[in-house]
């Protein structure tokens, strides 16, 4: 009888724990938020390289996820009953608990919103693609603001984000302190509100599970390395390997009679050295050419109706080419995008920024061609792939060629659509200031290696 009268008022006052949906959302958001804070520290402190860029992409993705989950959780909370405070809890504690919980909703929604303001008003306009897959818009109205107003909003975003981060530390300390107090000193059911079935005291395994989960999330936040950051390092290795493969194959395939098949396949590099192509048939096999000084690679565009001439001062070309061996000819041009110069320091700096080449994430552009067509006497087209700013697209490069003994001169010009490669983000994606078509031309002199 006593037991019954005891339990009845408790259940009449409300449920003994949060609903399953509220509990799942609580732990999910808690884990995401702690991971997110560590990502924020790492992204903010890191060198402005590819890894930092990728960390920010993830920071934005998780932050927006937290926003969505928190709004869902708030709606759920407003429409479902929460468990009552433990019997006999002092009023100040009830008020404090309520204040901390409200504070949490403020940061859970305020942090992503201020972060969103920062990225929507940034001078260097970086689009947000959640988890690399879902395009997420900027906050409506902000990207279109005039420069002054935009900067003001950007400052508000930074200030707000920074203050809310500090507020989060305070809330978290109070929250965890309160959980410990309830669990260890008061020995009441509060932890059980959020961890179904938990009993008071230090022996409760769910408490240790929560502590281990906390440590695991912190460790994951520090250990996580974005896959994207590894890509630029791997790419040059890949192309170097491709280039090495070619001279190996050529003698083996083209001169089987001169070289015993066995050693050629077993030790292709040795075979290549042992059987230089005979001088008179030199042009029958693709020839390796070394680009000479004075060769240049240029680009032309219009910026607000002003024609602009630019050039890349650092680029390399690996050329294996003979008009008689078009099928085995090969060209790889590697362009150091940070070497782009248009005669205006400020403009060149913005060219390297995330709005244009984004050189920190994609330092190089490469054009690789393995198909060549002859279109007229001394005229050819290289059909290849341009890898620019992480986007690979087919590109045909027509060129004229004159070979005079050991020296070749070639000139070519093509146009490409910068928007297809994402060169020009945010306000620059529109083509009213800078048209989409960019003319790229080269003139080179090469000597037989
Ligand atoms: C950043 C991380 C966290 C956030 C944002 C957060 C947020 C919240 C919020 C807003 C509530 C109130 C319930 C609601 O309105 O839905 C709550 C309750 C609770 N949280 Fe957390 N929490 C976090 C981390 C933790 C951790 C790490 C623990 C345990 C070790 C924990 C244990 C609890 C418990 C036991 C309750 C129930 C309190 C009661 O019924 O009065 N929380 N949390
Ligand atoms: C609950 C979600 C979020 C948390 C907990 C969080 C946390 C943090 C932290 C701890 C920092 C480092 C601050 C410092 O070291 O001073 C940071 C920086 C930053 N966060 Fe977030 N963030 C959240 C959501 C977002 C979102 C959604 C975005 C963008 C869409 C964003 C954009 C930024 C930017 C741009 C910075 C660097 C600029 C600055 O320091 O003011 N954040 N964030």
């Amino acid at each position: 009888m006593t037991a019954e009268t005891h339990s009845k008022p408790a259940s009449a006052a409300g449920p003994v724990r949060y609903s399953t949906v509220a509990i799942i959302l609580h732990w999910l958001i808690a884990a995401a938020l702690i991971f997110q804070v560590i990502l924020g520290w790492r992204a903010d402190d890191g060198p402005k390289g590819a890894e930092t860029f990728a960390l920010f992409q993830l920071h934005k993705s998780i932050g927006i996820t937290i926003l969505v989950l928190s709004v869902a959780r708030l709606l759920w909370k407003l429409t479902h009953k929460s468990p009552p405070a433990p019997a006999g809890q002092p009023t100040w504690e009830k008020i404090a608990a309520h204040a901390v919980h409200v504070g949490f909703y403020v940061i859970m929604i305020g942090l992503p919103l201020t972060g969103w303001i920062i990225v929507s008003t940034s001078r260097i306009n970086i689009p947000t693609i959640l988890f690399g897959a879902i395009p997420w818009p900027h906050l409506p109205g902000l990207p279109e603001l005039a420069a002054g107003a935009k900067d003001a909003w950007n400052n508000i975003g930074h200030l707000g984000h920074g203050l809310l981060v500090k507020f989060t530390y305070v809330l978290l300390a109070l929250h965890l302190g309160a959980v410990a107090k309830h669990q260890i000193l008061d020995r009441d059911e509060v932890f059980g509100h959020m961890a179904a079935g938990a009993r008071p005291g230090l022996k409760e395994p769910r408490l240790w599970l929560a502590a281990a989960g906390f440590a695991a999330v912190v460790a994951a936040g520090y250990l996580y390395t974005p896959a994207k950051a590894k890509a630029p390092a791997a790419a040059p290795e890949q192309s170097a390997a491709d280039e090495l493969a070619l001279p190996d194959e050529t003698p083996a395939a083209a001169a089987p009679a001169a070289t015993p098949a066995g050693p050629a396949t077993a030790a292709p590099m040795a075979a290549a050295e042992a059987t230089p192509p005979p001088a008179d048939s030199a042009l029958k096999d693709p020839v390796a050419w070394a680009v000479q000084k004075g060769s240049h690679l240029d680009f032309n565009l219009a910026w607000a109706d002003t024609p602009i001439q630019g050039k890349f001062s650092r680029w390399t070309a690996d050329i294996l080419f003979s008009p008689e061996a078009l099928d085995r000819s090969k060209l790889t041009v590697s362009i150091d995008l940070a070497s782009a110069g248009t005669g205006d320091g400020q403009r060149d700096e913005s060219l390297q920024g995330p709005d244009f080449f984004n050189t920190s994430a994609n330092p190089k552009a490469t054009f690789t061609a393995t198909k060549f067509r002859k279109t007229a006497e001394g005229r050819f087209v290289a059909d290849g792939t341009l890898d620019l700013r992480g986007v690979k697209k087919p590109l045909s490069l027509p060129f004229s060629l004159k070979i005079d003994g050991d020296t070749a001169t070639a000139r070519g010009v093509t146009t490409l659509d910068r928007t297809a490669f994402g060169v020009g983000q945010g306000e620059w994606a529109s083509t009213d200031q800078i048209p989409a078509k960019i003319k790229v031309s080269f003139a080179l002199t090469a000597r037989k290696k």
Side-chain angles (χ1 to χ4, degrees):
M1 185 64 191
T2 350
E4 215 185 301
T5 42
H6 196 79
S7 68
K8 276 231 165 118
S11 56
V16 294
R17 62 166 174 88
Y18 283 96
S19 62
T20 308
V21 171
I23 292 180
I24 292 175
L25 285 173
H26 173 268
W27 293 115
L28 251 181
I29 294 172
L33 208 126
I34 290 161
F35 186 77
Q36 175 75 348
V37 167
I38 291 169
L39 275 188
W41 292 342
R42 286 181 58 196
D44 211 33
D45 295 347
K48 301 289 168 254
E51 169 159 329
T52 304
F53 182 78
L55 286 177
F56 259 124
Q57 291 300 326
L58 187 65
H59 185 81
K60 295 196 284 180
S61 306
I62 295 184
I64 296 296
T65 309
I66 293 176
L67 176 66
V68 173
L69 292 178
S70 300
V71 170
R73 176 155 165 209
L74 185 58
L75 292 176
W76 188 267
K77 185 184 171 69
L78 296 176
T79 52
H80 293 78
K81 268 203 155 157
S82 297
Q89 188 178 36
T91 313
W92 75 265
E93 265 193 22
K94 282 187 202 159
I95 295 173
H98 190 69
V100 169
H101 294 170
V102 170
F104 266 139
Y105 282 97
V106 170
I107 61 103
M108 279 152 44
I109 293 169
L111 272 171
L113 281 185
T114 47
W116 199 2
I117 291 175
I118 299 176
V119 298
S120 304
T121 53
S122 168
R123 281 259 173 121
I124 43 171
N125 214 326
I126 311 174
T128 301
I129 314 220
L130 302 183
F131 303 105
I134 311 159
W136 185 260
H138 286 320
L139 268 167
L142 293 183
E144 300 82 52
L145 288 176
K150 211 168 158 178
D151 282 354
W153 273 101
N154 193 259
N155 289 339
I156 293 172
H158 275 282
L159 192 72
H161 208 63
L163 285 175
L164 288 175
V165 162
K166 299 218 165 67
F167 189 39
T168 304
Y169 304 151
V170 175
L171 291 174
L172 204 55
L174 291 171
H175 194 56
L176 296 185
V179 173
K181 174 178 181 284
H182 283 286
Q183 186 69 4
I184 302 160
L185 300 181
D186 300 346
R187 298 186 67 85
D188 61 23
E189 71 279 16
V190 164
F191 185 55
H193 286 168
M194 213 36 109
R199 292 165 185 285
L202 273 175
K203 287 205 187 116
E204 170 53 49
R206 290 166 188 80
L207 191 66
W208 295 104
L209 192 68
F214 188 94
V217 169
V218 171
Y222 280 109
L223 293 177
Y224 169 77
T225 358
K228 259 193 191 155
K230 293 173 200 145
E237 270 170 39
Q238 180 59 46
S239 62
D242 286 353
E243 280 148 30
L244 273 179
L246 227 124
D248 301 355
E249 286 162 16
T250 314
T259 325
T265 40
M269 274 315 270
E273 278 162 26
T275 55
D280 59 352
S281 71
L283 289 183
K284 298 220 170 80
D285 293 327
V287 169
W289 298 89
V291 175
Q292 301 299 296
K293 272 220 174 96
S295 302
H296 51 97
L297 178 61
D298 308 306
F299 57 95
N300 289 272
L301 60 131
W303 194 316
D305 290 335
T306 315
I308 287 176
Q309 304 202 332
K311 65 175 201 149
F312 294 103
S313 49
R314 289 190 301 275
W315 53 280
T316 57
D318 281 299
I319 311 170
L320 274 169
F321 182 87
S322 286
E324 287 82 354
L326 292 181
D327 53 339
R328 278 166 291 129
S329 293
K330 188 181 151 114
L331 167 69
T332 306
V333 183
S334 175
I335 304 153
D336 184 346
L337 293 173
S339 75
T342 61
D344 175 313
Q346 213 178 351
R347 186 167 54 211
D348 295 349
E349 211 176 299
S350 58
L351 272 185
Q352 292 185 37
D355 272 1
F356 293 98
F357 290 138
N358 196 15
T359 48
S360 58
N362 302 288
K364 293 215 154 121
T366 36
F367 176 66
T368 318
T370 47
K371 278 210 184 103
F372 293 81
R373 292 178 276 139
K374 183 170 176 177
T375 51
E377 200 44 55
R379 300 204 62 85
F380 302 88
V381 176
D383 293 315
T385 304
L386 178 64
D387 183 344
L388 172 59
R389 213 182 180 282
V391 179
K392 289 187 181 143
K393 298 259 176 210
L395 179 75
S396 290
L397 179 64
F399 61 96
S400 63
L401 176 76
K402 246 196 219 144
I403 298 180
D404 191 0
D406 281 350
T407 306
T409 45
R411 284 172 180 281
V413 57
T414 188
T415 50
L416 54 88
D417 179 349
R418 66 176 178 89
T419 59
F421 296 89
V423 177
Q425 298 281 334
E427 57 184 305
W428 306 113
S430 105
T431 49
D432 22 310
Q433 288 241 47
I434 308 175
K437 292 255 180 292
I438 306 289
K439 198 167 104 180
V440 180
S441 56
F442 74 89
L444 68 79
T445 313
R447 277 186 166 275
K448 250 183 236 170
K449 276 190 184 169

